[in-house]
Amino acid sequence: MNNDVVLKLYEKYAQDIFRFAYSYLNSYSDAQDVVHEVFLKLLKSNIRITEGKEKSYILKMAANNCKDLLKSKNRSAVISFNELPSSAEAYEDDFKDNELTAALKKIPENYRIVIHLHYYEELSVKETAKILKLSVSCVSMRLTRAKEMLREALKEYSYEEIL
């Protein structure tokens, strides 16, 4: 892929990929590694991405990279999602410790990832399913269950009617 094209994609989607990888891996440094790995693969390959499908394609690459990293036996210690390193100041602004973030931290990873892709990245259920290699009905069910879990978690913060 052309260097200029990859650079434009990096400028446009690097932060999205980082946030997705961080929500998937709960590790600042691993999320950075995923971002770099995705764009290195794009540079080294002759991949042609359909116009308008770039974000979905790149997020799928990131999801696969995250899965591979989690399977790796040589994976280093993970920083908890509850803790952000002080060097992540820019990222902390996006994930301030508020009630919703605290509630999201309480739900299991497979539900948190679906919530992130569907609501934060604004992907459709179908696109989310394709990225995670799940059925559309599975993603729909996870969204339903995740919203219920969030309702329960937010009750601690005196939210009566949310979601």
Side-chain angles (χ1 to χ4, degrees), residues 3-138:
N3 290 353
D4 293 334
V5 173
V6 174
L7 182 59
K8 287 178 184 176
L9 291 172
Y10 181 86
E11 290 171 357
K12 191 170 183 178
Y13 299 115
Q15 285 297 320
D16 295 336
I17 294 169
F18 176 81
R19 282 191 292 268
F20 171 72
Y22 186 82
S23 71
Y24 205 113
L25 301 169
N26 296 330
S27 170
Y28 183 82
S29 59
D30 286 345
Q32 286 180 320
D33 290 345
V34 167
V35 172
H36 295 138
E37 187 64 31
V38 165
F39 287 101
L40 280 174
K41 284 180 183 177
L42 287 174
L43 278 172
K44 293 178 182 179
S45 68
N46 290 327
I47 298 171
R48 287 200 162 156
I49 304 172
T50 306
E51 193 171 328
K53 302 286 185 182
E54 296 94 349
K55 183 175 182 178
S56 180
Y57 187 87
I58 291 172
L59 283 171
K60 185 171 185 168
M61 288 178 70
N64 290 336
N65 200 295
C66 289
K67 289 175 188 175
D68 291 344
L69 191 59
L70 287 173
K71 290 177 190 174
S72 170
K73 291 181 181 179
N74 297 327
R75 188 156 191 262
S76 61
V78 175
I79 298 170
S80 164
F81 191 74
N82 297 329
E83 302 171 17
L84 285 173
S86 60
S87 63
E89 291 174 13
Y91 191 64
E92 285 175 341
D93 290 339
D94 289 341
F95 283 87
K96 291 181 181 170
D97 274 326
N98 59 35
E99 292 86 1
L100 182 58
T101 302
L104 280 169
K105 290 176 187 177
K106 292 180 181 181
I107 67 172
E109 175 185 308
N110 57 337
Y111 295 103
R112 189 173 59 237
I113 290 166
V114 172
I115 290 282
H116 178 87
L117 287 173
H118 186 67
Y119 292 107
Y120 190 78
E121 298 297 337
E122 298 178 349
L123 297 176
S124 69
V125 172
K126 187 176 179 180
E127 291 171 319
T128 301
K130 186 175 180 181
I131 288 170
L132 297 176
K133 296 181 182 174
L134 299 170
S135 68
V136 172
S137 62
C138 180

Side-chain angles (χ1 to χ4, degrees), residues 99-100 102-108 115 143-163:
E99 292 86 1
L100 182 58
L104 280 169
K105 290 176 187 177
K106 292 180 181 181
I107 67 172
I115 290 282
L143 281 171
T144 301
R145 289 178 180 164
K147 287 191 280 188
E148 185 57 38
M149 289 177 197
L150 282 175
R151 273 189 205 99
E152 289 300 314
L154 288 169
K155 284 182 181 177
E156 294 177 26
Y157 302 102
S158 302
Y159 286 96
E160 294 299 321
E161 213 174 294
I162 191 160
L163 301 173

